[in-house]
Amino acid sequence: MSLVLFCLKSEALCAVVDLTGFLLVSSFNLSDLLNLFLRKHGVLYFSTKSALGQTAAQEKQHTRMKVSSKLDSVKFDEISKNYEVVIGIETHVQLSTLTKAFCSCPYNYGAQPNTSVCPVCMGLPGALPVLNSKVIEYAVKVGLALNCRLSLSSKFDRKQYFYPDLPKGYQISQFDIPIALGGYLDVDLPVEFGGGHRKFGVTRVHMEEDAGKLLHTGNGNYSQENYYSFPIGIVDLNRAGVPLLEIVSEPDMRTGIEAAEYAAELQRLVRYLGVSNGNMQEGSLRCDVNISIRPIGQLEFGTKVEIKNLNSFSSMSRAIDFEISRQALLYSLGQADEIVQETRLWEEGAQKTVTMRKKEGLADYRYFPEPDLPAVNLSEEYVNEIRDSLPELPEMKRRRYENMGLSMQDVLFLTNDVNVAAFFDATIATGADVKLATNWIMGDIAAYMKNEKLSINDIKLTPQELGELIASIKSGTISGKIGKEILFELMAKGGTVEGLIKEKDLVQIVDPTEIEKIVDKVLANNPKQLEQYRGGKTKLQGFFAGQVMKETKGKANPGLLNKILLDRLNSKS
């Protein structure tokens, strides 16, 4: 078995690769890895741990324990009095193109490892990249939607760094001339978090390719093809070369809530544009948060710490709050020098951030222009054509809904999902009352989707039938109660409002004479309750109304029923 051993210069981490380029193990402590390998092959066991390394580790652990033991006592109102929090976010959006950025390989999430690879995305010698034109189109769409200034002439660069799942040893990205610069994103904060409108700056948007993915199985063999039976893991290059847009914000956010809402708005934006599914669980939208704090009045920024491994917006908010508390505590203890530029991971189980690695600087990446790709030149006509094709974006839609008289709570719910917004728009296009349509969608329809774990595209109800249902209730053809029964049948089985009304004989009784007869019958059948009502127990009106509805199978017009019932109950005769 021929092996090549790669070691990171700054850390005792390594990767072992056989000469075919098949990664067997990565990111393992060097001494542990060698011990494991040598024992497996019958070679003498040895250790490379140093006393100096142990001492340094012990000192860092002592500091961490000292800090974490006091974190619970840190109060956010005290932090806000003494420190200003500065937050910026780097967001990677995976583009929903049919093929990768520089080759014709498709990408399907969840596919068997290394089944969508070719010499180009594997970085084999002599393989040349060819740019997917859809990547440029999507980048221009996002740049315009973020109110950016587009670079009509941009270029690609090589970002050099070693990582086990980066097959070429560099990433094709954009450095000094990105495709879009200097934009902003409008965000409406939820009412439960204080509400209000925010505008967060966007520094740049640039195109790049993704790396692969490390897989750790822990059961010895990953597959039959892994005939070396090395008991750690492999690298999956399916994702290598998948097109990304990196969106870098200005450091404009001050709280975890603001950061999470900014990221959520970006997710909405790319979904509205149709350039990405934005699913965080699949890695289609990944956010790295940069946080620093500085004493009030200080002009220069504090030391920036990056947090990775954030797979939900709630995790992002909690991770930021923890990191703010950690840094504030170090300041208060006079240990601000312990805050170093590094990358930290969020541990969901422990609800804390932990050190991952020291952060590289720009010089470490050794950028230079990508020699195998030409410049990206855009014409004004091309840009204008894309601008004219943009859909109504979340911010525009929120303002339109507000102008219809809807509350901000209603607006945020309806616009959160592009498909829900489209359903709502199609419903009111039938002439349905705006507020009634909102109430049905936010109430019974949303509850049904949640219980059944369905999206609005999965239910059988159409916007046209919801509009018809609302019209039938408003005209008095059916009651609201019957409307609910019809609604659930339409969502589960489909059909039409008119058809169900006829099939089940659900037309509302609006003839006063017919309702009077039924009321008289109910009162005659319940003399004891009638006597109690007239003796002062007026709450029994509900009992009589229920009995009338039972007699009419829910078809009596409620307004007419209550009027007639009150007349009869309060009659002297």
Side-chain angles (χ1 to χ4, degrees):
M1 175 181 179
S2 300
L3 297 176
V4 181
L5 179 67
F6 295 100
C7 297
L8 295 177
K9 62 181 181 181
S10 60
E11 301 179 52
L13 300 176
C14 63
V16 177
V17 185
D18 70 10
L19 292 184
T20 66
F22 189 82
L23 182 80
L24 298 173
V25 65
S26 67
S27 301
F28 229 69
N29 178 277
L30 179 57
S31 62
D32 291 345
L33 173 66
L34 290 176
N35 288 331
L36 176 65
F37 178 79
L38 295 173
R39 278 181 295 174
K40 182 175 180 67
H41 291 274
V43 185
L44 180 65
Y45 171 90
F46 70 99
S47 174
T48 62
K49 291 182 181 178
S50 69
L52 182 62
Q54 286 180 323
T55 302
Q58 288 169 354
E59 287 177 354
K60 288 183 179 178
Q61 180 66 19
H62 176 72
T63 301
R64 282 196 294 268
M65 290 173 63
K66 184 177 179 182
V67 170
S68 47
S69 65
K70 294 186 177 182
L71 275 176
D72 291 339
S73 64
V74 178
K75 299 284 194 299
F76 269 89
D77 54 350
E78 294 176 8
I79 293 173
S80 62
K81 289 177 186 175
N82 300 311
Y83 304 102
E84 181 184 23
V85 179
V86 180
I87 303 169
I89 300 180
E90 298 168 7
T91 306
H92 288 88
V93 176
Q94 179 180 305
L95 299 179
S96 299
T97 54
L98 296 177
T99 58
K100 295 184 182 180
F102 305 111
C103 66
S104 60
C105 293
Y107 175 70
N108 297 305
Y109 177 77
Q112 284 296 306
N114 299 309
T115 54
S116 292
V117 295
C118 72
V120 174
C121 53
M122 290 176 69
L124 297 184
L128 295 176
V130 177
L131 178 59
N132 182 345
S133 62
K134 209 70 176 174
V135 177
I136 300 174
E137 178 189 331
Y138 286 0
V140 172
K141 278 188 175 183
V142 171
L144 291 172
L146 289 172
N147 309 288
C148 290
R149 182 179 73 256
L150 294 179
S151 301
L152 295 182
S153 182
S154 63
K155 66 181 177 67
F156 284 99
D157 302 275
R158 288 188 180 182
K159 182 181 181 181
Q160 315 280 335
Y161 62 96
F162 171 78
Y163 208 67
D165 55 10
L166 190 68
K168 295 190 291 287
Y170 63 86
Q171 178 189 36
I172 298 177
S173 182
Q174 291 189 301
F175 176 45
D176 54 328
I177 312 178
I179 197 164
L181 289 160
Y184 61 88
L185 183 67
D186 287 294
V187 177
D188 288 301
L189 297 181
V191 177
E192 60 267 30
F193 298 129
H197 183 84
R198 301 285 191 279
K199 182 177 285 188
F200 299 118
V202 172
T203 306
R204 57 186 280 149
V205 179
H206 66 257
M207 301 176 283
E208 63 184 23
E209 62 177 339
D210 207 347
K213 182 179 181 181
L214 297 177
L215 303 173
H216 301 280
T217 62
N219 61 358
N221 287 324
Y222 182 80
S223 66
Q224 292 179 349
E225 288 74 26
N226 188 9
Y227 54 87
Y228 292 129
S229 300
F230 212 85
I232 299 174
I234 66 170
V235 67
D236 176 14
L237 294 180
N238 280 347
R239 204 170 66 183
V242 167
L244 302 176
L245 289 183
E246 180 170 344
I247 302 168
V248 182
S249 81
E250 290 289 320
D252 290 346
M253 286 145 267
R254 296 293 177 262
T255 66
I257 292 299
E258 286 187 355
E261 288 303 317
Y262 163 88
E265 182 69 6
L266 265 186
Q267 183 189 63
R268 279 189 287 272
L269 186 75
V270 298
R271 286 176 171 174
Y272 271 64
L273 290 170
V275 302
S276 175
N277 63 29
N279 291 340
M280 297 185 80
Q281 296 84 351
E282 297 180 6
S284 298
L285 187 136
R286 310 196 289 272
C287 296
D288 301 333
V289 180
N290 294 300
I291 305 169
S292 67
I293 66 172
R294 59 185 175 187
I296 296 291
Q298 178 177 302
L299 294 179
E300 62 271 16
F301 290 131
T303 302
K304 179 175 66 176
V305 173
E306 181 183 50
I307 305 178
K308 287 183 178 287
N309 197 35
L310 303 169
N311 59 10
S312 72
F313 301 129
S314 61
S315 292
M316 181 184 298
S317 180
R318 283 181 275 115
I320 290 171
D321 289 345
F322 176 91
E323 186 59 24
I324 292 170
S325 298
R326 186 186 74 87
Q327 293 185 28
L329 180 57
L330 288 170
Y331 264 101
S332 68
L333 294 174
Q335 298 175 354
D337 57 339
E338 291 287 334
I339 305 172
V340 296
Q341 187 169 337
E342 63 177 341
T343 298
R344 297 175 72 86
L345 291 179
W346 172 246
E347 289 191 348
E348 186 66 39
Q351 293 289 292
K352 65 178 183 179
T353 63
V354 295
T355 297
M356 176 187 176
R357 63 170 182 264
K358 295 295 179 276
K359 182 66 176 172
E360 299 91 345
L362 286 177
D364 297 318
Y365 291 130
R366 295 173 290 122
Y367 283 99
F368 68 84
E370 168 57 69
D372 295 331
L373 288 168
V376 177
N377 295 310
L378 308 176
S379 68
E380 292 283 0
E381 293 77 14
Y382 176 79
V383 172
N384 289 334
E385 186 179 329
I386 292 177
R387 182 182 282 111
D388 292 340
S389 72
L390 293 179
E392 185 181 39
L393 298 174
E395 168 66 9
M396 306 175 199
K397 204 175 282 289
R398 287 196 294 267
R399 301 290 79 83
R400 179 164 65 86
Y401 288 177
E402 269 192 305
N403 291 335
M404 290 179 181
L406 295 177
S407 70
M408 181 52 66
Q409 187 175 8
D410 295 345
V411 167
L412 291 176
F413 180 92
L414 292 171
T415 58
N416 183 55
D417 185 327
V418 61
N419 295 316
V420 170
F423 190 96
F424 172 73
D425 283 336
T427 300
I428 60 176
T430 67
D433 180 272
V434 170
K435 187 57 181 172
L436 288 176
T438 302
N439 292 344
W440 282 101
I441 292 172
M442 291 180 63
D444 294 289
I445 295 174
Y448 178 83
M449 291 191 300
K450 183 178 180 180
N451 290 337
E452 300 297 322
K453 296 180 173 57
L454 298 173
S455 73
I456 202 155
N457 291 338
D458 296 327
I459 63 176
K460 300 294 190 345
L461 174 71
T462 66
Q464 292 70 29
E465 290 309 314
L466 178 58
E468 181 65 29
L469 183 67
I470 292 169
S472 298
I473 295 171
K474 284 196 75 174
S475 67
T477 303
I478 57 174
S479 66
K481 182 180 178 182
I482 289 175
K484 275 196 175 189
E485 295 174 10
I486 291 177
L487 177 74
F488 283 102
E489 182 142 354
L490 289 172
M491 288 192 288
K493 300 177 182 178
T496 66
V497 174
E498 185 180 1
L500 286 173
I501 290 173
K502 288 181 179 178
E503 177 188 334
K504 299 178 181 293
D505 188 24
L506 298 175
V507 176
Q508 193 167 220
I509 300 172
V510 292
D511 181 357
T513 304
E514 188 174 351
I515 293 177
E516 285 173 359
K517 290 179 181 177
I518 299 169
V519 168
D520 290 340
K521 178 182 175 184
V522 166
L523 295 181
N525 290 341
N526 297 278
K528 182 178 178 182
Q529 287 83 355
L530 178 59
E531 184 180 349
Q532 289 174 337
Y533 175 88
R534 289 174 174 169
K537 290 189 177 181
T538 55
K539 288 183 179 180
L540 283 170
Q541 179 189 344
F543 163 77
F544 291 111
Q547 293 299 307
V548 174
M549 280 296 187
K550 187 176 179 181
E551 285 286 329
T552 62
K553 298 180 180 177
K555 293 189 288 183
N557 179 282
L560 193 55
L561 161 61
N562 284 321
K563 183 178 181 301
I564 294 171
L565 180 61
L566 278 173
D567 287 343
R568 288 290 196 271
L569 287 172
N570 297 324
S571 172
K572 300 295 182 182
S573 56

